[in-house]
Amino acid sequence: MTWVRGDAAGDLYKQGHDDLAAEKYADAVKAFDQIIANYPSTPTLDEIRIEDGFAYLHLGDFPSAVKVLIPESDARAKPEYRATGLYFTGLAQFSQAQKATDKAAAKVSFGQSAGTLGTLIDYIGKNPTPDNQAFLEDTTYYQALAYYQMEDFPNAEKDLLKLLDAYPKSLKRPDYLLLLGSLYAVETNQAVTAKQPSDAIKAAAQKSLDRFDQVSKDPNALVQANDANMSEAEVYYLIAQLDPSGAGYQKALDAFRLVRRKADMVDLQQTRLDQLKKASAAALQQQGGASLANENVRLIDRESARLDQLKSGPDPIIQALIRIAECYNAMKPPMADEARVVLRRLSHATLTPEQQQEVDFQLLTSYVLGGQTDKADFTLTAYLAKHPADPQADSIGFQIAGKLMDKKDYAGALKEADRSLSDYPKGRFVSDVHSLKASAFKTLGQPDKATAELTEAAKGSGAMAIPNQLTSAGIMTSQGNLTGALDIYKKVKDNPDAGELQAFGASGYINTLQALGRYDDVIAEAKAFAAKYPETNKALPGVLVFEGLAMDRKNDPGAIAVLQDVAKRFPKDEASPFALFYVVTVYQRTGNVPAMVQAAKDLATAYPTSYSFLGDAADMVGDEYVKEKKFDLAVAAYQPLVDAPKPDVAAEANNKIGAVWLAAVKAKGALQSLPAPAREEPKAWLDSADKSYLTVLTKYPDQLDAVGNAFQGLADVLKVRRSDGLLTDEDMEAAFGKLTAGLTAGDMPTRMELAKAGLVFTYKKGEKQYPAALDRFKKAIAASPSLVLTRQEANEFGELLLAAQDYPTAITVFSNLLSHTTPDNAPVLADAYYGLGATYLAQNDVAKAAENFTKMKALPGGAAWHPHIQEADYGLALAAELAGDPNGLAKQTYAKLMQSTPAGIQLQAKAMLGYGHLLDKAGYGVKPADPKTIEFAVHYYQQIDLLYSTAVPELSAEGLYDAGQAFEKAGDKANAKAQYAKILATYATTAPDWAAKAKAASDKLGQ
């Protein structure tokens, strides 16, 4: 070995050591590298390598640091140096990973760092010394950081928990808690992205919140506490979407409000540092205080570093304010005005480009959510010019269009939708925009365009392609386009890339086949589905139910076994109670009463709380027993429901029992025809009916529908008592008052007064008492302005108002009835829509009448069960007539009503007039197109007088007048005058208005 003159290695070492102390790292490595290269035998070489690696580490030349430290980190290194070598090597590899721009390369370096630090931890464990154990805490922390960056969260969590357990008084404890909380926050985000169950997401979030909360409460962690508050708020914001009510955003909002401004935090941190320094100085002056002073020095160094980071870092309040605005926008309903107030506070703040974009986006969103569509459209234009590359903006045009749809501005919605498609032809919401356009076109009465848009919606690609296809198929089904829906469902069913949605496509396909009546295909597809998908598939029970229904439609007795098997195999699936209920309907339809009764019992045993199905099954069993006059058994069918814990179920069951006893009395015939002893049993049944109805009024006064039915039941009992000679009209109100005397709670006294006034509809020739009854209604309701009327009360009040031509109040009554019911309460909806339609029709507002009658007819079964459905049909026919009857609806409806005895002579006469009008307008006033028929207007006009005469004087006179006008138009003055003369002779006093018109027309014709 060649030595230079003097101790050159020693000189170089002193030079390098001094440079290192002076933080001249570049000069230090030059000196150290010369020694390593030229003096390999120098006795301090191990120490030189350590210091050289340390200098390279501070220079940021991490590969060189690793290289020079290899001999000191190797298993053959001297024990006293190996721990330091491994520690610095691990830090260099960690730092190299942080510096890397390539994600894959970074992950490799983090892995190398974790491996090196793990080796050090193992080494310390096997060779513990005071010196190497000093590395253990930081080594474990950096290894946790490396694992965290590698997304190896289980190992990172293990290290952090180990640190928290091993170092309960560590000054770095807030850092460990903060990282652990961040780890759990990432896992929460991953759970949200993976659409895991909400309970799993909330559990992960709570672990994160607990750790952040520990930091927030640490008095020695002011800076980290602020970071923890921000992170805690972010977690609340993340999981707020799990709460459909939007209340979760209020929690996030409250948490973001705890985040402090940077300036405030700097002041607080500086004050804390000053206090620590003062305490340290005081400790040094006290005997035995050196240890405390030394501990304070470490804390002061840490907090000084925190202060420097705080001063150079971003202001956390900016991000917090942005998030606060986002929370306001996300609330239900959105608080868009408040969001804009917050965002305007940021107008003069120094924002990063990303923050500025988010502020602009949230401002734009606030206009959309606030329904300010004009401002939103204008702001969107500005936003796209400012941020043309923002992929998130493709949702805004769609949202604006949606708000315009809410305002029923369908033309505006279509315009905005077209803009969205133009701005983002390949955006995420293309299919949704097409679906929105389809909805607009459907509302505008353009079904062909709606179908075309749905077809476009189904063509979409990307993550939402399959969901959008399923949505489009569903909309097509609702529009009656079953063939189009079937094609889309088939595409999803046969698409292997659809994942779990493939089964939903197959299920929808089978459902649509069922709707098309293709029962053989339903059975085949259901069997294929069952063979392909496991028992755990959520759609399988429903598919098997469709198989059973299809088999039943083909009169296959095996359908019952299939449906029963569904309930057996999938007892907790919502399809199972329906399957057993359908078995009840099969037996009812086939007349197998014993089997139907047993099936109903099986349903009740398996699903004792499926009250909807149980109620319908009880109705079927009860009806059969009533037909067989087994009234006790009919009552027994409802008895389990009387004891149900649901008030609405129990109340209606009592009403049904009352109706059974009433039916029993009617089945006996007139009481006067029975021997005296035989009358006692029907009388007892009437008492039982009264008792059932009174039970409803006493125990369930808040069940509006049931209360209305109960009062109606009591009125029906009074009618039967009158028919059987037990009461007269004059006795009814007193008997009713005595019966209901005990009903004094809440609204019952008012309802009793309304019920008494409503007896006018029970009395014979009660219409003469309508004015007095209306006065009683008005006074009772005025005394209880908050009273919500039952549908029976609303109908009676409305009918009295119509008779008095008080149309505004009638509109209010029926509108209130509509607003106080639920979308699934068909009987109440039908009454409300009919009442509104009848009121508008009475005012000759045929368009609004038809609008309400159409809504009534859209209810289940076309509302054919409603007692006034034929009046609604007439109203729709009249609207069609006035519109020129383009589809022949008016002529078809009038023809049916003319021949319908249940429609009543009033409606029959109106239909004859309408039918005559149509013929008149078609040019067949006095002569038919075919001489062999009677299809000419005058025939139908005259039929009213011939058939009904003075029973409907106004309509008879109108028919004769219209006949006279038709004869006039045809030039037949003699027959015209004959019609007018008959009006004057027969209807001068009963139809004075028409008589006046007839006289004027006759006088105009002269002699």
Side-chain angles (χ1 to χ4, degrees):
M1 178 173 293
T2 306
W3 290 89
V4 295
R5 187 164 52 88
D7 188 5
D11 292 341
L12 286 170
Y13 176 72
K14 182 179 184 306
Q15 177 186 334
H17 189 74
D18 291 343
D19 288 335
L20 188 64
E23 299 182 3
K24 297 178 179 179
Y25 302 118
D27 293 335
V29 297
K30 288 180 182 178
F32 292 144
D33 284 348
Q34 286 188 56
I35 298 172
I36 294 169
N38 298 315
Y39 306 104
S41 299
T42 184
T44 57
L45 190 61
D46 294 301
E47 190 171 332
I48 290 168
R49 288 197 189 103
I50 294 293
E51 294 190 22
D52 196 19
F54 183 80
Y56 273 121
L57 192 60
H58 281 275
L59 274 176
D61 186 350
F62 307 120
S64 294
V66 172
K67 182 179 179 181
V68 78
L69 288 167
I70 289 174
E72 306 307 322
S73 59
D74 188 81
R76 294 167 293 180
K78 295 176 182 178
E80 61 268 32
Y81 293 106
R82 190 176 183 213
T84 307
L86 285 168
Y87 181 69
F88 286 158
T89 299
L91 289 185
Q93 291 165 332
F94 184 90
S95 301
Q96 178 63 30
Q98 288 183 309
K99 185 178 179 181
T101 56
D102 180 73
K103 190 173 181 180
K107 191 169 185 178
V108 169
S109 294
F110 279 126
Q112 291 171 340
S113 174
T116 301
L117 295 170
T119 300
L120 175 55
I121 292 169
D122 290 342
Y123 179 76
I124 295 172
K126 294 174 182 177
N127 307 280
T129 67
D131 288 338
N132 63 31
Q133 283 188 315
F135 289 115
L136 187 57
E137 182 179 357
D138 285 347
T139 300
T140 305
Y141 179 51
Y142 274 107
Q143 185 181 45
L145 282 171
Y147 282 135
Y148 179 86
Q149 295 294 341
M150 293 165 62
E151 298 183 8
D152 182 353
F153 300 130
N155 277 320
E157 179 186 26
K158 189 187 302 180
D159 281 342
L160 291 168
L161 292 174
K162 188 187 300 180
L163 287 166
L164 291 169
D165 182 59
Y167 304 98
K169 296 183 179 181
S170 172
L171 295 176
K172 297 177 182 178
R173 187 177 179 83
D175 295 319
Y176 306 154
L177 289 167
L178 199 58
L179 182 60
L180 188 57
S182 299
L183 184 154
Y184 292 142
V186 172
E187 289 182 338
T188 303
N189 187 49
Q190 290 175 338
V192 170
T193 304
K195 298 181 179 179
Q196 291 184 11
S198 60
D199 288 345
I201 296 172
K202 290 177 181 177
Q206 192 57 53
K207 289 167 65 177
S208 176
L209 295 170
D210 289 344
R211 297 305 180 177
F212 290 140
D213 198 48
Q214 287 179 269
V215 180
S216 300
K217 295 176 180 177
D218 191 329
N220 294 319
L222 286 176
V223 178
Q224 295 102 314
N226 203 45
D227 292 342
N229 285 335
M230 183 69 184
S231 297
E232 192 169 352
E234 292 283 9
V235 174
Y236 277 123
Y237 180 78
L238 177 64
I239 63 173
Q241 60 188 284
L242 301 178
D243 186 347
S245 71
Y249 289 105
Q250 183 62 53
K251 289 184 179 180
L253 190 65
D254 294 340
F256 281 120
R257 285 173 175 157
L258 296 176
V259 178
R260 294 174 178 268
R261 294 186 312 142
K262 176 179 176 177
D264 294 338
M265 288 303 301
V266 168
D267 290 344
L268 286 170
Q269 185 70 358
Q270 185 63 64
T271 300
R272 173 163 171 71
L273 265 176
D274 293 344
Q275 290 172 345
L276 287 172
K277 289 176 180 178
K278 185 177 180 180
S280 182
L284 281 172
Q285 295 175 7
Q286 296 176 6
Q287 186 175 3
S291 175
L292 177 60
N294 183 55
E295 186 174 332
N296 279 345
V297 167
R298 293 171 59 203
L299 186 56
I300 288 168
D301 288 343
R302 191 197 76 166
E303 294 304 303
S304 295
R306 294 287 183 199
L307 181 60
D308 292 340
Q309 291 173 0
L310 193 59
K311 289 178 178 178
S312 62
D315 192 340
I317 197 63
I318 291 176
Q319 190 60 35
L321 288 172
I322 293 173
R323 280 285 194 253
I324 287 172
E326 290 178 356
C327 287
Y328 279 131
N329 277 337
M331 285 181 172
K332 295 181 180 180
M335 300 176 69
D337 292 341
E338 287 80 355
R340 281 193 296 279
V341 169
V342 173
L343 293 168
R344 285 173 183 143
R345 288 176 59 187
L346 295 167
S347 58
H348 300 297
T350 301
L351 307 176
T352 66
E354 292 79 12
Q355 288 174 331
Q356 184 63 62
Q357 182 169 325
E358 188 60 31
V359 167
D360 294 341
F361 186 82
Q362 291 302 321
L363 182 63
L364 173 56
T365 301
S366 74
Y367 286 128
V368 175
L369 297 174
Q372 300 183 48
T373 50
D374 290 341
K375 285 188 176 181
D377 187 68
F378 176 80
T379 308
L380 176 59
T381 300
Y383 183 88
L384 293 177
K386 191 175 180 180
H387 310 288
D390 181 14
Q392 302 301 314
D394 60 349
S395 69
I396 294 296
F398 171 58
Q399 291 184 62
I400 295 174
K403 287 295 178 181
L404 290 167
M405 286 287 288
D406 293 341
K407 293 180 176 181
K408 297 185 178 180
D409 181 0
Y410 303 115
L414 288 169
K415 181 179 178 182
E416 196 62 46
D418 286 336
R419 172 184 175 166
S420 177
L421 293 172
S422 175
D423 288 343
Y424 293 95
K426 296 182 179 180
R428 297 170 298 161
F429 297 91
V430 167
S431 293
D432 299 285
V433 173
H434 282 299
S435 294
L436 181 145
K437 289 184 68 180
S439 180
F441 281 129
K442 178 187 175 184
T443 306
L444 291 170
Q446 301 179 48
D448 292 342
K449 289 185 177 181
T451 300
E453 292 297 335
L454 287 174
T455 302
E456 288 300 316
K459 292 178 181 177
S461 60
M464 292 302 295
I466 303 300
N468 282 330
Q469 288 175 13
L470 292 173
T471 300
S472 298
I475 294 174
M476 285 184 176
T477 299
S478 68
Q479 293 179 343
N481 184 4
L482 297 178
T483 303
L486 190 70
D487 288 342
I488 295 176
Y489 280 131
K490 188 175 188 304
K491 288 178 182 176
V492 177
K493 174 180 81 77
D494 296 337
N495 184 357
D497 295 330
E500 64 180 15
L501 294 180
Q502 191 176 14
F504 287 99
S507 175
Y509 183 70
I510 294 168
N511 191 352
T512 310
L513 287 172
Q514 181 81 10
L516 288 167
R518 292 169 54 178
Y519 304 122
D520 288 329
D521 291 335
V522 170
I523 295 168
E525 288 292 333
K527 291 185 183 302
F529 189 102
K532 180 176 182 179
Y533 294 103
E535 291 270 311
T536 54
N537 188 280
K538 293 180 180 179
L540 181 57
V543 167
L544 294 177
V545 167
F546 282 127
E547 180 184 7
L549 299 185
M551 292 172 68
D552 175 56
R553 288 304 188 105
K554 290 177 64 63
N555 298 315
D556 184 341
I560 291 175
V562 170
L563 293 168
Q564 290 173 331
D565 188 55
V566 171
K568 183 178 179 181
R569 290 167 60 187
F570 310 101
K572 295 183 179 180
D573 192 89
E574 62 183 13
S576 295
F578 170 77
L580 290 187
F581 170 71
Y582 193 85
V583 172
V584 179
T585 69
V586 173
Y587 285 129
Q588 183 213 33
R589 195 173 351 107
T590 56
N592 190 342
V593 176
M596 179 189 71
V597 172
Q598 184 58 51
K601 290 179 179 178
D602 293 341
L603 171 64
T605 301
Y607 301 101
T609 60
S610 292
Y611 295 115
S612 176
F613 294 126
L614 292 175
D616 290 342
D619 285 341
M620 293 179 187
V621 173
D623 288 347
E624 289 298 332
Y625 281 140
V626 167
K627 289 177 186 177
E628 297 176 3
K629 298 186 178 181
K630 298 177 180 178
F631 301 109
D632 289 339
L633 293 177
V635 168
Y638 291 108
Q639 197 60 50
L641 298 176
V642 168
D643 301 323
K646 291 189 66 178
D648 58 329
V649 174
E652 203 51 54
N654 275 288
N655 280 331
K656 295 290 179 65
I657 289 175
V660 170
W661 290 128
L662 203 54
V665 175
K666 291 178 180 179
K668 279 285 187 181
L671 263 63
Q672 297 96 322
S673 65
L674 298 176
R679 297 177 189 177
E680 296 307 313
E681 186 178 40
K683 288 181 181 179
W685 290 343
L686 286 174
D687 291 340
S688 294
D690 282 335
K691 182 180 179 182
S692 293
Y693 295 131
L694 288 171
T695 297
V696 175
L697 301 177
T698 304
K699 293 182 65 176
Y700 309 106
D702 296 330
Q703 297 301 311
L704 198 64
D705 288 348
V707 165
N709 292 336
F711 273 117
Q712 183 63 57
L714 290 175
D716 290 341
V717 173
L718 289 175
K719 287 181 186 178
V720 172
R721 291 184 190 276
R722 181 185 64 188
S723 298
D724 288 337
L726 302 176
L727 284 177
T728 65
D729 280 357
E730 291 72 20
D731 300 328
M732 275 193 182
E733 183 168 340
F736 183 81
K738 183 178 180 181
L739 190 64
T740 58
L743 303 176
T744 58
D747 294 326
M748 278 301 156
T750 303
R751 295 200 188 280
M752 286 164 55
E753 176 62 17
L754 296 179
K756 291 175 183 178
L759 289 174
V760 70
F761 295 102
T762 302
Y763 299 151
K764 295 174 181 178
K765 298 183 180 180
E767 60 272 8
K768 293 182 180 179
Q769 301 181 45
Y770 278 10
L774 178 58
D775 187 57
R776 291 180 73 175
F777 259 89
K778 287 184 174 180
K779 286 180 178 178
I781 291 172
S784 301
S786 62
L787 181 73
V788 177
L789 300 180
T790 68
R791 70 183 181 92
Q792 290 85 353
E793 291 164 349
N795 287 336
E796 291 174 352
F797 190 24
E799 189 168 341
L800 293 171
L801 290 165
L802 281 172
Q805 298 185 9
D806 185 353
Y807 303 127
T809 306
I811 292 292
T812 300
V813 168
F814 290 120
S815 295
N816 287 341
L817 180 63
L818 190 63
S819 66
H820 285 101
T821 192
T822 55
D824 60 345
N825 196 333
V828 177
L829 291 173
D831 282 350
Y833 288 135
Y834 172 73
L836 288 168
T839 306
Y840 284 121
L841 194 60
Q843 301 175 80
N844 293 317
D845 190 341
V846 179
K848 284 188 177 179
E851 180 183 331
N852 284 282
F853 290 144
T854 299
K855 291 177 180 177
M856 179 184 178
K857 296 274 287 184
L859 294 170
W865 34 265
H866 195 273
H868 295 295
I869 188 60
Q870 290 183 308
E871 285 95 328
D873 286 336
Y874 170 76
L876 291 170
L878 181 59
E881 176 196 331
L882 296 178
D885 200 22
N887 301 316
L889 172 66
K891 190 172 185 180
Q892 181 183 3
T893 304
Y894 288 148
K896 288 181 180 179
L897 290 175
M898 284 190 296
Q899 301 173 44
S900 173
T901 302
I905 61 173
Q906 190 86 10
L907 205 55
Q908 286 178 298
K910 287 182 178 181
M912 288 178 184
L913 279 174
Y915 198 82
H917 292 156
L918 292 172
L919 291 171
D920 216 347
K921 290 174 184 176
Y924 307 115
V926 296
K927 290 181 180 180
D930 183 351
K932 297 178 182 179
T933 69
I934 55 172
E935 290 296 287
F936 60 100
V938 166
H939 170 76
Y940 292 97
Y941 292 151
Q942 293 174 331
Q943 284 293 300
I944 305 168
D945 172 62
L946 291 171
L947 294 175
Y948 312 123
S949 187
T950 56
V952 286
E954 291 280 345
L955 294 171
S956 294
E958 183 179 355
L960 291 171
Y961 180 81
D962 288 345
Q965 293 289 295
F967 280 126
E968 271 196 55
K969 193 190 302 181
D972 188 345
K973 290 186 178 182
N975 272 317
K977 287 180 70 68
Q979 310 309 308
Y980 302 144
K982 190 164 187 180
I983 295 172
L984 293 170
T986 310
Y987 303 106
T989 57
T990 53
D993 291 342
W994 288 110
K997 287 185 178 182
K999 186 177 185 306
S1002 182
D1003 291 345
K1004 186 177 179 182
L1005 288 174
Q1007 298 298 324

